[in-house]
């Protein structure tokens, strides 16, 4: 039985996998048709015909993850690390009968590399689906509070 | 410590035939001189007329480091002003774009200006009677930039009152903008959204040079494009169609021979482009219905001519790059000697299928975003160069690849695509536009 606590635990675990750089385990949380989306507009509706910072399927996420470990990935020498500080997720839908599970989580994200540290704030929205006994990510959406500001490199996942 | 001042000889000495001194990238005084001379003497991209559709529409921008505002006047004309109230200097427009209605109103003391910049009203006007106000620059309203050209909806400005004309400055290089506009079945482009913005901690010229550097993709982007190819080969299974994403990343790994034969064309005044014979944009899938639309507008022959021109990167000196085949313009905005804001715009081909706009947006976020793995590869190189150039062991940057001792400046030529000649071309133009309003060597001590 999927409860609100199942969703919350899932979101905490997802962030922990990113922070501990267990990339493959993190990828395994996605549904085969899952997407990772980082819009570039306020309350953006369309990921395809409006500009986004990221809108990636599993193939593209695999490319990113494999690149991080590449021998000639010079922007990862030294390597980046990240830290997610999450507020308790707000459950927007938990309807096992309809198979709808959605939550919104306010976060502060830190990415460091060498002596540099960058900090970002925003909201992560999770659209989850049940596959067997597990929840899988159909869509993870990252809305930065200052999506319209110019950033330096963001190399890991928020 | 001022070492260069207005000394045209000292500045010219930073640019040798096939080397440049590192001070052009790391010396704050040189950066100040660029803002004072190079940018005002050159034609700089401000924005696109599709951002100014209705009277009262405005956009803000910077030319060099100076804030400007462009507006659509009630009579339909486009005007450009310095973005400051003539009273106390307050910026009259603070947003990237908007509509100001019939007039601009300064938020500080309510001085107001027509959308052609002229002074409309000042509260308590009689307080200025007999003060000599009418003899001041403030009486003229917003300070206008008179040298503005709107070329096929692309708005360019030259801040210097006197200098080279628009046509002389750009010449045949305008053919890349022509090709991009012609790719619309209606002959029209439209800005639909804000650009992707990406802050670079490096000198702006490193980005400009990289646009025609064809010996770096297969090295620096092995990590991104190379990995994309590798993962796709492993994961593709029975798929027959290469996904759009892999089509966009893949060509970055083309071998040296590909770039050698695809060629570079250089033009006078520092402009030039890669991808003459063909380019990394040549082999994208056809988009259903598009060719028919193009033939309906232009006829069979002309339509194929337009679509057969797949230039890679066109540098418009000093600081933009245009990609006609994917409708992208990158604006390398100088902030400081070691800080550059890159704004990458996508234009929609008016009347063309959605799929083409989708592809242009995808290309832009794949290559030009702070979240772009290709961008990460490049920025790492620029940052390392910005650091490395502080060393005193060797103070010169080497641009000698395929250099020939009889190279003429300011010519049109098509050359081997792995040449560094376009970079030499840019630096020749750099020295020219930096020093053209200084006393020239030999003239000074008359």
């Amino acid at each position: 039985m999927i409860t609100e606590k199942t969703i919350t635990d899932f979101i905490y675990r997802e962030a922990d996998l990113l922070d501990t750089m267990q990339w493959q385990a993190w990828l395994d949380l996605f549904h085969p048709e899952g997407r990772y989306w980082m819009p570039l507009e306020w309350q953006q509706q369309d990921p395809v015909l409006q500009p986004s910072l990221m809108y990636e399927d599993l193939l593209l996420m695999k490319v990113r993850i494999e690149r991080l470990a590449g021998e000639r990935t010079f922007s990862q020498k030294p390597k980046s690390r990240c830290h997610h500080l999450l507020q308790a997720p707000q459950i927007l839908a938990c309807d096992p009968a309809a198979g709808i599970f959605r939550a919104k989580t306010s976060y502060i994200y830190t990415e460091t590399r060498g002596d540099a540290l960058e900090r970002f704030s925003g909201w992560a929205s999770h659209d989850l689906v049940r596959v067997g006994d597990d929840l899988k990510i159909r869509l993870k959406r990252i809305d930065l509070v200052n999506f319209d500001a110019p950033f330096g490199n963001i190399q890991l996942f928020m | 410590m001022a070492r260069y001042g207005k000394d045209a000889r000292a500045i010219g000495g930073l640019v040798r035939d096939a080397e440049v001194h590192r001070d052009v990238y790391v010396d704050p005084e040189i950066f100040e001189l660029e803002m004072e001379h190079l940018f005002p003497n050159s034609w700089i991209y401000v924005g696109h007329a599709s951002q100014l559709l209705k009277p009262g529409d405005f956009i803000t921008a910077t030319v060099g480091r100076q804030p400007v505002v462009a507006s659509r006047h009630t009579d339909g004309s486009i005007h450009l002003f310095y973005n400051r109230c003539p009273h106390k200097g307050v910026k009259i427009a603070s947003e990237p774009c908007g509509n100001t209605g019939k007039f601009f109103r300064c938020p500080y003391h309510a001085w107001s200006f027509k959308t052609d910049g002229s002074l409309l009203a000042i509260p308590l006007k009689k307080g200025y009677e007999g003060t000599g106000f009418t003899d001041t620059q403030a009486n003229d309203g917003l300070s206008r930039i008179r040298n503005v050209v709107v070329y096929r909806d692309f708005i360019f400005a030259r801040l210097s009152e006197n200098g080279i004309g628009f046509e002389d400055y750009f010449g045949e290089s305008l053919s890349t903008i022509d090709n991009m506009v012609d790719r619309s079945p209606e002959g029209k482009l439209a800005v639909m959204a804000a650009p992707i913005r990406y802050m670079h901690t490096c000198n702006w010229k490193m980005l400009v040079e990289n646009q025609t550097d064809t010996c770096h993709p297969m090295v620096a982007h092995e990590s991104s494009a190379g990995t994309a190819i590798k993962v796709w080969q492993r994961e593709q299974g029975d798929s027959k169609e290469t996904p759009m994403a892999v089509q966009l990343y893949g060509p970055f790994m083309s071998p040296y021979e590909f770039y050698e034969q695809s060629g570079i064309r250089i033009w006078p005044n520092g402009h030039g482009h890669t991808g003459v014979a063909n380019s990394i944009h040549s082999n994208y899938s056809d988009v259903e219905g598009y060719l028919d639309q193009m033939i309906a507008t232009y006829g069979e022959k002309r339509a194929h001519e337009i679509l057969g021109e797949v230039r890679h990167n066109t540098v418009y000196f000093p600081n933009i790059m245009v990609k006609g085949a994917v409708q992208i313009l990158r604006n390398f905005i100088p902030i400081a000697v070691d800080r550059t804001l890159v704004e990458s715009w996508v234009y929609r081909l008016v009347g063309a299928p959605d799929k083409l706009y989708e592809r242009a947006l995808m290309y832009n976020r794949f290559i030009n975003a702070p979240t772009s793995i290709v961008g990460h590869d490049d920025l790492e190189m620029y940052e390392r160069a910005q650091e490395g150039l502080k060393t005193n062991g060797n103070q010169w940057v080497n641009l000698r690849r395929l250099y020939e001792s009889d190279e003429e400046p300011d010519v049109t030529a098509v050359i081997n695509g792995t040449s560094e000649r376009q970079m030499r071309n840019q630096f020749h133009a750099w020295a020219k536009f930096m020093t053209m309003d200084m006393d020239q060597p030999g003239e000074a001590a008359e």
Side-chain angles (χ1 to χ4, degrees), chain B residues 333-441:
Chain B
I333 302 168
I335 307 284
V337 67
D338 56 359
R339 203 167 165 81
T340 306
L341 169 60
V342 185
E343 293 192 338
S344 300
W345 296 86
V346 176
Y347 305 95
R348 187 176 175 127
L349 298 171
V350 175
D354 283 349
K355 204 77 189 165
L356 287 163
Y357 188 52
E358 178 186 341
R359 180 155 73 198
L361 290 173
M362 183 186 265
Y363 189 93
N364 207 31
R365 70 173 179 267
F366 277 8
I367 313 300
N368 301 330
T371 40
S372 151
I373 54 180
V374 170
H376 300 159
D377 294 337
D378 282 327
L379 179 50
E380 178 69 12
M381 299 306 122
Y382 309 143
E383 285 180 341
R384 289 191 191 196
Q386 196 70 35
E387 284 295 303
L389 289 174
K390 291 177 183 166
T391 60
N392 291 332
N394 174 359
Q395 303 200 6
W396 294 88
V397 166
N398 192 298
L399 302 176
R400 200 161 288 268
R401 186 167 171 73
L402 294 173
Y403 172 68
E404 292 170 51
S405 57
D406 60 350
E407 280 177 8
E408 294 284 325
D410 284 330
V411 295
T412 298
V414 174
I415 49 176
N416 182 309
T418 61
S419 173
E420 287 172 341
R421 183 153 176 198
Q422 170 54 19
M423 302 175 205
R424 299 191 284 273
N425 190 33
Q426 283 161 209
F427 275 105
H428 174 78
W430 183 87
K432 183 166 79 173
F433 290 100
M434 273 290 266
T435 61
M436 70 192 329
D437 54 347
M438 297 175 188
D439 292 333
Q440 297 301 313

Side-chain angles (χ1 to χ4, degrees), chain B residues 89-134:
Chain B
V90 170
K91 281 166 79 171
I92 53 148
S94 58
E95 292 170 291
C97 60
N99 185 288
T100 191
K102 289 199 184 330
F103 55 86
F104 290 102
R105 180 179 182 272
C106 179
Y108 200 3
H109 303 95
W111 288 31
S112 60
F113 312 91
K114 293 182 194 164
T115 46
D116 66 356
S118 54
L119 185 60
L120 178 63
I122 298 178
L124 292 172
K125 187 80 188 269
K126 64 177 187 296
Y128 289 97
E129 280 168 17
T131 64
F133 179 79
T134 51

Side-chain angles (χ1 to χ4, degrees), chain B residues 223-425:
Chain B
S223 94
S224 48
T227 304
I229 292 171
K230 208 168 68 188
V231 171
W232 170 242
Q233 281 169 351
R234 195 182 63 222
E235 305 270 334
Q236 68 185 100
D238 302 327
S239 313
K240 293 197 175 58
E241 239 177 278
T242 310
M244 190 188 275
V246 179
Q247 289 187 32
L248 298 184
Y249 278 131
F252 278 74
M253 289 306 285
S254 304
Y256 292 113
E257 297 72 31
F258 171 83
Y259 291 104
E260 280 188 316
Q261 60 77 33
S262 68
I264 286 177
R265 181 181 282 119
I266 57 165
W267 290 295
N269 299 322
H271 318 301
H273 78 92
T274 47
V276 179
N278 58 357
S279 80
I280 66 164
H281 305 308
S282 293
N283 293 321
Y284 298 158
S285 300
D286 291 336
V287 169
E288 204 184 326
Y290 176 52
L291 180 61
D292 294 339
Q293 288 182 321
M294 291 293 284
I295 291 172
T297 302
Y298 297 102
E300 185 98 29
K301 181 165 172 283
R302 180 76 188 120
H304 284 288
E305 246 170 48
I306 293 166
L307 299 177
E309 187 75 55
V310 280
R311 296 176 183 183
H312 181 186
N313 291 339
T314 299
V315 169
Y316 287 100
F317 185 82
N319 70 324
I320 62 167
M321 182 278 280
V322 172
K323 239 179 212 313
V326 276
Q327 300 89 50
I328 286 171
L329 180 149
R330 299 184 75 197
N331 192 0
F332 309 112
I333 302 168
I335 307 284
V337 67
D338 56 359
R339 203 167 165 81
T340 306
L341 169 60
V342 185
E343 293 192 338
S344 300
W345 296 86
V346 176
Y347 305 95
R348 187 176 175 127
L349 298 171
V350 175
D354 283 349
K355 204 77 189 165
L356 287 163
Y357 188 52
E358 178 186 341
R359 180 155 73 198
L361 290 173
M362 183 186 265
Y363 189 93
N364 207 31
R365 70 173 179 267
F366 277 8
I367 313 300
N368 301 330
T371 40
S372 151
I373 54 180
V374 170
H376 300 159
D377 294 337
D378 282 327
L379 179 50
E380 178 69 12
M381 299 306 122
Y382 309 143
E383 285 180 341
R384 289 191 191 196
Q386 196 70 35
E387 284 295 303
L389 289 174
K390 291 177 183 166
T391 60
N392 291 332
N394 174 359
Q395 303 200 6
W396 294 88
V397 166
N398 192 298
L399 302 176
R400 200 161 288 268
R401 186 167 171 73
L402 294 173
Y403 172 68
E404 292 170 51
S405 57
D406 60 350
E407 280 177 8
E408 294 284 325
D410 284 330
V411 295
T412 298
V414 174
I415 49 176
N416 182 309
T418 61
S419 173
E420 287 172 341
R421 183 153 176 198
Q422 170 54 19
M423 302 175 205
R424 299 191 284 273
N425 190 33

